[in-house]
Amino acid sequence: MLLAALVAALTPFFVNLGGATIWDANEAYYVETPREMLESGDYINPSFNYEPRFNKPVLSYWLVAGLYHLFGVSVATERLAIVGAAMVMIIVAFVLGRAASGATDGGLLAALGLALGPRFFMFSRRILIDVANSAALSAILACFVLAELYPAQRRRFLYLMYVAAGIGFLLKGPVAVVLPVMAFVVYFAVQRELHRLREMMLVRGAIIVLLIAAPWYVALYAQHGWTYITAFFLGENVDRYLAPVGPNDARGYLFYLPVLLTDSFPWSLAAIGAAVATWIHRGQRRVDPIWRVRTLLLLWCAAIVVFFSLSRSKQDLYIFPVAPAVAALGGAFVLELLNGGAGSARRWFAGTFTALAGVLFALGALVVIVFVSAGSVYPLDGALLVGMLAIAGGAGVGLLTWRDVRLAAVACAAVTLIAVNWLLALRVLPGFEEYKPVAPLSAAIAKQMRPDDVVAHFDLALPSMTYYLRRHVDVTVDAESFRQAVQRGRRVFAVMPASRYEEVRPLFAAEPCVIASHKTADVKLRNVLAGNAPPEVIVALSPCPPS
């Protein structure tokens, strides 16, 4: 039954991948940059918007470019790469769950729990770099766990671990080495086994990482010297950790606690009980393989969360590499609760699944209020079905939990979340196109655009327009730079918030007129609850064509 449920949970990941246009801003870079690689034939120097882009290493672009060669250039093809990385994370969850429980069912429950999460499902369709980086880091953890469990094959698993580290380094840089080193040193220290660092084949491991990651950096140095390499290592790593980016300065030390619960939902709720059980059995963490693995998984999560909680710049996906470990802890704990008797196992099951039922019910009600109710300013296709399904599923899980029908309660939660993910794939995400302006505005521009025209953006971030127009877009953030962009003696298509049009209208060299508009989403809870209508984005053409 668990295997069948897992197959059902995995299927929607591959359904309707091209059903939604590009998600600005992150996904745009990983759709367009590989396309520009194919167009230019230059696989050493990534570019976006036909300008150099070296703020991330190159491997994610190579992965998508390779898929483009096989299946053609499309958004759906790029999303195959994201789904592939998500599948790696689910496989790792199985490996870790089996190790943390000593049973195949524990691994299946862990993989199922990760696959069920709506946020995990959403990430698998829009954020390549963080899902791929998390897959590499998760693979490092899995190889280390297997090396711990099977000493006779330690070398083989450590070699694989360093291969994964090299891949991670070429995906996102030194974080792929720093985070595992930190977590494993903490683990050895807690186990009072720091001397075992000598067993880690550190020199050979460093050589493997360098053999994988260094060639691209060497090629980059040969062409540009240290310019881009230094900017990446200092700017994108050290500076980003020590200095805030945008509004993230306001995010406090506890920012990642709710992120931890939501990114790994539903088994994040069960992982709380797993953490308590590991503490209770802490005396066994040095001798019992299962409790050693659970201790390692908890320390992996704690090390990553604490590390990024201390940074000035905080993004929720920074801690995404903990998701398979959380799923493994939760899956192992759920298996124990299913097999437990009427004592503490029943109480823990009741507490965990009552909370799960409450979350499902509350989320369903919130979806109905925000996206379906008569006062909603963001009506969304499929939202009513999702909301009612979550409410009914929450009620069902709560009732079955109250009656202590444990396996049925787990099955009810699984069926509910599988159905939610199917609806997300087939209805909700395509329905959200109503609030995504880039594709329709790009189509309006393309109908009238000539090769020497200027396309300029003002005070907004819509990078995917470069992909849809297949041309450079001037991006301006202040009135002076916008004025310079629109006064070149050429025809201009200016894209901006409708609220800024009258303000910048006098800056055009010739009288403009609005040729297209589209609403966009500003789905911040305070704006939704205040009933603020979706803002509009417009395209102004200068000079205005004769009517």
Side-chain angles (χ1 to χ4, degrees):
M1 186 184 78
L2 284 175
L3 183 59
L6 180 59
V7 171
L10 293 178
T11 304
F13 282 80
F14 298 90
V15 172
N16 202 25
L17 288 177
T21 56
I22 297 169
W23 297 92
D24 285 307
N26 189 286
E27 187 183 23
Y29 303 112
Y30 300 95
V31 177
E32 172 62 10
T33 299
R35 190 199 67 79
E36 291 184 20
M37 278 185 166
L38 266 65
E39 185 179 273
S40 67
D42 185 350
Y43 293 89
I44 301 299
N45 300 283
S47 66
F48 176 80
N49 199 18
Y50 297 93
E51 297 173 344
R53 178 175 173 81
F54 291 99
N55 65 328
K56 294 290 186 293
V58 76
L59 184 55
S60 57
Y61 308 133
W62 285 349
L63 292 174
V64 176
L67 291 174
Y68 283 171
H69 274 294
L70 292 173
F71 304 112
V73 176
S74 71
V75 178
T77 300
E78 178 263 347
R79 287 178 183 153
L80 275 177
I82 316 178
V83 172
M87 293 303 106
V88 171
M89 294 181 70
I90 291 171
I91 292 169
V92 168
F94 170 81
V95 171
L96 298 179
R98 190 175 185 278
S101 64
T104 300
D105 282 352
L108 291 172
L109 279 168
L112 177 63
L114 187 58
L116 290 176
R119 268 177 70 86
F120 181 82
F121 180 79
M122 292 278 287
F123 291 154
S124 75
R125 286 175 174 256
R126 57 183 297 263
I127 306 177
L128 173 60
I129 185 64
D130 290 293
V131 178
N133 177 61
S134 297
L137 283 164
S138 300
I140 293 170
L141 174 61
C143 291
F144 183 82
V145 167
L146 292 172
E148 288 288 281
L149 288 177
Y150 304 104
Q153 302 180 59
R154 171 179 292 276
R155 287 176 176 267
R156 177 185 303 173
F157 290 123
L158 288 181
Y159 282 135
L160 290 173
M161 182 184 77
Y162 289 120
V163 169
I167 292 171
F169 203 106
L170 201 52
L171 279 167
K172 206 167 183 181
V175 69
V177 173
V178 171
L179 293 180
V181 167
M182 179 178 57
F184 299 156
V185 167
V186 171
Y187 167 72
F188 283 134
V190 168
Q191 298 289 77
R192 301 177 187 175
E193 297 173 347
L194 280 172
H195 62 278
R196 292 188 55 216
L197 287 171
R198 293 192 294 268
E199 303 173 6
M200 295 295 293
M201 304 190 309
L202 296 177
V203 174
R204 276 175 280 186
I207 292 172
I208 291 171
V209 172
L210 287 173
L211 286 174
I212 294 172
W216 177 69
Y217 288 99
V218 171
L220 208 59
Y221 174 80
Q223 294 188 29
H224 307 287
W226 291 106
T227 303
Y228 293 122
I229 297 173
T230 302
F232 167 69
F233 279 97
L234 295 181
E236 285 295 315
N237 291 274
V238 178
D239 289 350
R240 186 175 283 265
Y241 187 85
L242 297 176
V245 177
N248 300 340
D249 191 27
R251 292 172 173 172
Y253 293 120
L254 300 181
F255 168 75
Y256 285 114
L257 292 184
V259 174
L260 193 63
L261 290 172
T262 55
D263 282 2
S264 302
F265 179 82
W267 282 177
S268 55
L269 300 175
I272 297 171
V276 173
T278 304
W279 174 257
I280 292 172
H281 294 85
R282 61 190 180 277
Q284 302 180 45
R285 69 185 179 209
R286 296 189 64 187
V287 294
D288 187 295
I290 287 178
W291 293 105
R292 286 179 67 94
V293 169
R294 294 188 186 186
T295 300
L296 171 59
L297 298 184
L298 284 171
L299 292 173
W300 172 269
C301 297
I304 292 176
V305 171
V306 170
F307 178 79
F308 286 114
S309 294
L310 296 176
S311 70
R312 292 292 304 279
S313 177
K314 296 180 177 68
Q315 299 284 357
D316 53 356
L317 281 162
Y318 285 174
I319 69 162
F320 198 49
V322 309
V326 173
L329 288 165
F333 191 65
V334 169
L335 182 62
E336 287 184 1
L337 299 183
L338 289 173
N339 294 333
S344 62
R346 179 177 182 177
R347 291 191 296 272
W348 271 106
F349 188 90
T352 300
F353 277 79
T354 298
L356 197 159
V359 171
L360 283 175
F361 193 94
L363 288 177
L366 182 63
V367 167
V368 171
I369 292 170
V370 172
F371 297 110
V372 181
S373 66
S376 172
V377 294
Y378 285 97
L380 188 59
D381 183 43
L384 178 60
L385 285 174
V386 169
M388 297 308 296
L389 181 63
I391 291 171
V397 171
L399 177 62
L400 292 167
T401 300
W402 176 69
R403 296 184 61 186
D404 196 31
V405 189
R406 298 180 202 175
L407 186 58
V410 173
C412 183
V415 168
T416 299
L417 290 170
I418 290 170
V420 165
N421 287 343
W422 270 100
L423 287 170
L424 289 174
L426 296 177
R427 294 285 299 278
V428 176
L429 295 181
F432 203 76
E433 292 299 298
E434 184 178 355
Y435 306 102
K436 295 169 70 175
V438 176
L441 294 185
S442 297
I445 294 171
K447 286 181 180 178
Q448 304 187 43
M449 186 173 61
R450 299 190 294 251
D452 61 341
D453 290 342
V454 172
V455 179
H457 287 183
F458 173 64
D459 192 30
L460 42 67
L462 299 174
S464 62
M465 189 167 283
T466 297
Y467 172 82
Y468 289 110
L469 292 179
R470 299 293 203 268
R471 61 172 295 155
H472 174 77
V473 174
D474 288 344
V475 179
T476 64
V477 295
D478 59 80
E480 177 56 27
S481 59
F482 179 73
R483 185 190 67 79
Q484 294 176 11
V486 300
Q487 292 196 1
R488 298 181 187 172
R490 293 153 62 187
R491 203 167 64 144
V492 177
F493 292 88
V495 186
M496 69 188 75
S499 60
R500 304 298 301 274
Y501 177 58
E502 292 301 327
E503 174 189 342
V504 300
R505 187 173 178 176
L507 300 179
F508 286 90
E511 181 64 21
C513 60
V514 176
I515 63 167
S517 66
H518 198 282
K519 56 187 173 182
T520 187
D522 186 13
V523 197
K524 296 177 181 176
L525 187 58
R526 63 177 180 272
N527 293 334
V528 174
L529 295 178
N532 297 333
E536 280 198 338
V537 174
I538 63 168
V539 177
L541 174 58
S542 171
C544 185
S547 55

